[in-house]
Amino acid sequence: MLYYSTRDTERKHPFCLKDAAFLGLAPDGGLFMPERYPAVDMDKVRSLADESFAAMAAYLASLFFGEDADAAVLDALVRDAFNFEVPLYELADGLCTLQLFHGPTFAFKDFGGRFMGRMSSLLNRGGDPVIVLTATSGDTGSAVAHGFWNVDGVKVVILYPDGKVSDLQEAQMTTLGGNIFPLRVNGCFDDCQRLVKEMFSDAELRSRVRITSANSINILRWIPQSFYYFYGWSQWCKSTSASRNAPDIVVPSGNYGNITAAMLAWKTGMPVRRFIAGANANDVVPQFLDGAPYSPRPSVQTVANAMDVGAPSNFERMMYLFDGDAAAVRSFVSGKSFSDAEIEAGIAEMYSHYGYVSDPHSAIGYLNYKYFDASGFWLSTAHAAKFSTVIERSIGICPELPDAFKRIMTLPRISSPMENDREALKAYVTELSCK
Ligand SMILES: *Cc1c(COP(=O)(O)O)cnc(C)c1O
């Protein structure tokens, strides 16, 4: 499979998987897309999904990555990456949510992170060691760290703002050790992001050290996120609430990687009636869907902070998937923004009506599902225990921490201090590459 930038409309510059994966972003500033949408045999999806999520995912991975990896190796890699449950949970008749938070960091980013870690190592076998450099406000860092943990030939440097991530998030990033190097930066998240960008634009550093990003636009994180939609679809078709086979798919969205992965699934043959992209107060996409021009702006902070994005990178992928036709996007995709107060009221409603404890991001999925009178399922993107402060404020109880969380909180934490200074980071990266 070859990959093209969303901006290379004449398809002049093909990239192989390895180059697309290690570049992350295309050199022209666009996002990579596969050269074609492979045709998926939906009967086969159904029968493999009855076996397990991993069995079904292995089939889908072979369609995208089969030309780039040995079949048996790829199969084993997928089964190892996706060794956790993906249940479609029914709160009540006609109210289903696909729970994507049963991986090691209790959020859906584990799917992309774990697949990318293993696949990067496979693609780079025998090559120079690689340093993955990533900035995080909390969640992405832990998913990337866990995804690449103990992966051969890769070192991961995570920059996070000192004192500005939750206790749990810090524990998840700093208790792994091994090939994971967390840096607590004397600054805010934007400083971390700027420092990482400065390393990528430093030609001198890049001529000596192989660095790559693991951010959410990477093709190796994006494509596998399409797999769980097939699984949700096949479970939904069997559920009592399904009277047809084309569900509405509701996704709480920030950078719009997750929902565009659903659109990729649809392009390869999965039936969908309508997409619904829910948002918090960062509402540039809902406004666009309502007819306004697309106008990115700085993000505002909300209780669903993993969705605090003011200029969603994957908007470009969404337009590409609809051949640049804004009217087509607007007729097939809906989405509404909800305020913090509404999100907390949604959490309270789910608890009082159904005894269900939802995290704030997933609650935006629920609120959109109800608002659009949907029939299908919404995605639950994180475990409620990751956002216990908001939950406690909304329903008066503190969600029980899963045992794996409790264990992490007791482990020793190791991170290094880092000045908010490019030369200091450059020196650190250089030294790490020589070790
Ligand atoms: C990242 C994240 C989102 C947003 O996903 P996008 O792909 O950026 O739209 C939603 N919920 C949680 C919990 C997340 O971590």
Side-chain angles (χ1 to χ4, degrees):
M1 183 80 85
L2 295 172
Y3 295 85
Y4 290 93
S5 164
T6 45
R7 296 185 190 177
D8 182 13
T9 43
E10 288 175 23
R11 298 202 155 194
K12 286 195 171 144
H13 305 287
F15 291 82
C16 66
L17 176 64
K18 184 175 173 180
D19 288 346
F22 286 109
L23 281 168
L25 199 67
D28 64 5
L31 285 77
F32 284 114
M33 292 293 290
E35 62 177 320
R36 64 194 147 79
Y37 305 120
V40 172
D41 176 345
M42 294 304 289
D43 290 330
K44 192 161 178 177
V45 162
R46 256 184 222 247
S47 67
L48 287 169
D50 283 341
E51 208 177 295
S52 67
F53 171 67
M56 185 214 70
Y59 162 62
L60 295 169
S62 75
L63 299 180
F64 282 99
F65 306 111
E67 294 159 14
D68 294 284
D70 173 79
V73 172
L74 184 62
D75 188 89
L77 181 152
V78 171
R79 287 171 196 268
D80 178 55
F82 304 133
N83 60 356
F84 46 88
E85 296 294 299
V86 193
L88 185 75
Y89 185 91
E90 198 160 0
L91 280 72
D93 208 19
L95 278 183
C96 294
T97 181
L98 187 67
Q99 293 182 336
L100 303 179
F101 53 71
H102 297 281
T105 73
F106 304 96
F108 85 91
K109 291 189 175 72
D110 280 331
F111 289 87
R114 287 175 68 83
F115 184 84
M116 179 180 184
R118 285 155 182 77
M119 198 69 187
S120 304
S121 165
L122 185 66
L123 291 173
N124 195 46
R125 195 144 288 172
D128 294 335
V130 181
I131 294 183
V132 173
L133 258 184
T134 189
T136 185
S137 55
D139 266 355
T140 304
S142 50
V144 168
H146 280 261
F148 280 93
W149 189 36
N150 288 339
V151 165
D152 277 350
V154 181
K155 289 173 182 160
V156 181
V157 178
I158 306 169
L159 285 78
Y160 68 93
D162 194 8
K164 296 193 181 70
V165 301
S166 77
D167 199 32
L168 203 81
Q169 286 170 333
E170 184 170 54
Q172 283 186 315
M173 291 187 281
T174 58
T175 55
L176 290 168
N179 61 333
I180 311 298
F181 300 89
L183 300 179
R184 42 178 211 279
V185 174
N186 183 11
C188 64
F189 170 61
D190 291 334
D191 295 323
C192 297
Q193 214 162 23
R194 198 197 59 248
L195 283 168
V196 167
K197 280 199 181 132
E198 282 172 351
M199 296 304 109
F200 282 105
S201 57
D202 189 323
E204 194 277 321
L205 177 70
R206 297 199 78 170
S207 71
R208 291 185 286 113
V209 182
R210 184 118 178 258
I211 54 176
T212 180
S213 82
N215 69 25
S216 66
I217 52 106
N218 196 293
I219 202 86
L220 290 179
R221 278 183 64 182
W222 185 65
I223 290 177
Q225 286 180 13
S226 67
F227 300 168
Y228 43 71
Y229 290 99
F230 291 91
Y231 193 67
W233 171 84
S234 77
Q235 292 183 82
W236 182 78
C237 289
K238 288 193 295 188
S239 80
T240 48
S241 50
S243 54
R244 50 195 163 71
N245 81 344
D248 297 324
I249 292 188
V250 186
V251 185
S253 299
N255 220 1
Y256 289 74
N258 205 356
I259 192 148
T260 49
M263 292 166 181
L264 176 64
W266 165 66
K267 282 285 189 184
T268 65
M270 189 187 78
V272 174
R273 185 170 74 165
R274 167 176 56 159
F275 291 109
I276 299 170
N280 57 25
N282 295 281
D283 61 354
V284 291
V285 176
Q287 289 197 354
F288 164 80
L289 294 172
D290 282 343
Y294 176 65
S295 46
R297 52 179 173 267
S299 64
V300 296
Q301 206 178 336
T302 76
V303 293
N305 59 21
M307 291 163 50
D308 292 349
V309 181
S313 319
N314 288 286
F315 184 81
E316 191 163 327
R317 263 193 183 127
M318 181 160 80
M319 294 311 294
Y320 186 93
L321 284 153
F322 284 86
D323 302 319
D325 182 349
V329 176
R330 288 176 177 132
S331 72
F332 205 56
V333 187
S334 310
K336 183 167 160 46
S337 135
F338 285 90
S339 70
D340 280 3
E342 290 169 323
I343 294 166
E344 292 187 21
I347 294 170
E349 180 180 305
M350 288 165 95
Y351 186 61
S352 66
H353 287 20
Y354 313 109
Y356 185 82
V357 182
S358 170
D359 98 284
H361 307 79
S362 312
I364 294 171
Y366 166 79
L367 289 166
N368 270 268
Y369 189 92
K370 282 204 17 196
Y371 181 83
F372 290 102
D373 195 20
S375 165
F377 54 90
W378 74 89
L379 300 195
S380 285
T381 50
H383 194 292
K386 293 190 90 165
F387 301 92
S388 52
T389 320
V390 186
I391 307 296
E392 205 169 351
R393 199 161 61 221
S394 311
I395 62 176
I397 63 157
C398 195
E400 169 86 17
L401 279 183
D403 288 342
F405 261 167
K406 290 184 195 154
R407 206 171 44 247
I408 289 168
M409 298 303 278
T410 66
L411 298 175
R413 301 184 187 185
I414 298 160
S415 68
S416 311
M418 174 56 60
E419 279 315 304
N420 182 5
D421 172 58
R422 59 180 296 169
E423 291 308 321
L425 180 61
K426 191 171 167 179
Y428 181 89
V429 171
T430 301
E431 200 192 319
L432 189 65
S433 72
C434 303
K435 268 192 206 158

